Amino acid sequence: MKKVIVVTSGKGGTGKTTVCAGLAAALARTGSRVLIIDCDSGMRGVDMMLGISDKLVYDISDVISGGCSYQEALYRADGELELYCVAAPLYADDEVSPSLVRQFVESVEEDFDFILIDSPAGTGSGFQSAAAAAERAIVVINAEPISIRGCQNIRKKLEDMHIDDRRLVINRFDRDRFVKMGLYEDLDEVIDEAGLRLIGLVPEDVRVTSLSQRGALVHNWSPSSVIFDTIVKRLDGTDVPLVADIR
């Protein structure tokens, strides 16, 4: 399995960072040593979801500038999982360039089984930095036209960057709401418009939101954790069905 994965979205509010953290925890549950690099400068959120905000002193910009060692900026999530995070800069002005992100990933990738990179939403310079070292991409959308348009823009940028291994996660999916809105005939139409192969369908689940906001996502006790475990298996090429009903 390709080990450096950028998690991105064409617009904000899709739950991209939650998917990134949930997927990282699922990978770690397999016994893998996993690193999340938060590249969402100014919107830093991964540390909050993993419950490590109080520990933070350094971020990736400190490592790049020589202000600290890589090990000093590496923070482990609470618990037994081998799940680590390097935080994004707190201010957007400290955004790290694509070439420096690539150099950083190359310098640490031998220490981890998987590296997930949380990208800012959209196709700006932050996305370019986050995707610079990626071998594959997961694009997170909601089943709504604006979100899908953003996905189309992201897909084109990923093609231009020659990241050919691209997969789709539909997040925060509520079947009843989807039917009542009547924007699409079915999910196949959503997938066709997005133009990417679906690898995960994550239902709307207030329990995940609660865990994320409390910094406890790594200890996901909600049934939706099964969804992320399924995505991991599908990333590895295992033919398992999508799991959508968690009620």
Side-chain angles (χ1 to χ4, degrees):
M1 189 190 300
K2 296 174 182 176
K3 65 185 292 183
V4 184
I5 306 169
V6 63
V7 182
T8 185
S9 62
K11 66 176 289 294
T14 62
K16 163 190 59 63
T17 299
T18 303
V19 169
C20 184
L23 182 57
L27 284 164
R29 284 195 293 272
T30 69
S32 296
R33 183 176 166 91
V34 182
L35 171 65
I36 305 178
I37 301 174
D38 191 347
C39 280
D40 199 351
S41 301
M43 292 294 290
R44 185 169 78 188
V46 172
D47 59 296
M48 296 182 69
M49 292 186 181
L50 298 185
I52 59 176
S53 297
D54 292 344
K55 303 177 184 178
L56 291 188
V57 177
Y58 301 110
D59 58 50
I60 189 172
S61 67
D62 294 312
V63 181
I64 297 300
S65 66
C68 70
S69 68
Y70 140 62
Q71 289 80 9
E72 289 176 302
L74 187 67
Y75 297 91
R76 182 174 180 173
D78 290 336
E80 298 180 356
L81 298 180
E82 290 279 322
L83 177 56
Y84 301 83
C85 173
V86 172
L90 190 57
Y91 302 105
D93 289 347
D94 294 325
E95 181 178 282
V96 180
S97 72
S99 62
L100 292 177
V101 171
R102 187 183 301 109
Q103 289 176 27
F104 177 75
V105 170
E106 290 173 353
S107 70
V108 305
E109 61 181 337
E110 293 303 316
D111 294 339
F112 297 94
D113 298 304
F114 295 97
I115 297 175
L116 274 64
I117 305 174
D118 186 42
S119 167
T123 58
S125 59
F127 161 78
Q128 299 286 338
S129 293
E135 300 171 306
R136 68 194 312 174
I138 293 176
V139 183
V140 181
I141 69 167
N142 305 136
E144 301 169 355
I146 295 176
S147 184
I148 293 171
R149 177 178 290 177
C151 174
Q152 293 167 344
N153 292 335
I154 286 286
R155 186 189 69 206
K156 178 62 168 59
K157 292 291 185 180
L158 291 169
E159 290 172 355
D160 293 343
M161 297 176 75
H162 305 291
I163 301 175
D164 299 325
D165 192 339
R166 305 178 294 268
R167 296 292 184 267
L168 179 71
V169 168
I170 300 176
N171 190 38
R172 302 177 65 180
F173 181 71
D174 184 313
R175 190 173 300 279
D176 292 338
R177 181 173 179 268
F178 179 76
V179 171
K180 287 178 181 177
M181 289 180 67
L183 298 171
Y184 300 96
E185 183 176 346
D186 52 29
L187 271 178
D188 286 340
E189 186 177 357
V190 173
I191 297 165
D192 288 344
E193 287 200 17
L196 295 172
R197 181 180 173 187
L198 182 67
I199 199 168
L201 180 65
V202 183
E204 181 73 72
D205 187 353
V206 68
R207 293 163 292 194
V208 172
T209 303
S210 175
L211 289 165
S212 299
Q213 295 299 318
R214 289 190 287 147
L217 189 60
V218 69
H219 309 296
N220 189 353
W221 43 259
S222 83
S224 65
S225 64
V226 176
I227 307 294
F228 294 111
D229 293 336
T230 299
I231 294 173
V232 166
K233 292 176 182 177
R234 291 171 66 87
L235 278 172
D236 195 28
T238 304
D239 186 14
V240 294
L242 293 169
V243 180
D245 190 356
I246 60 171
R247 291 175 293 180

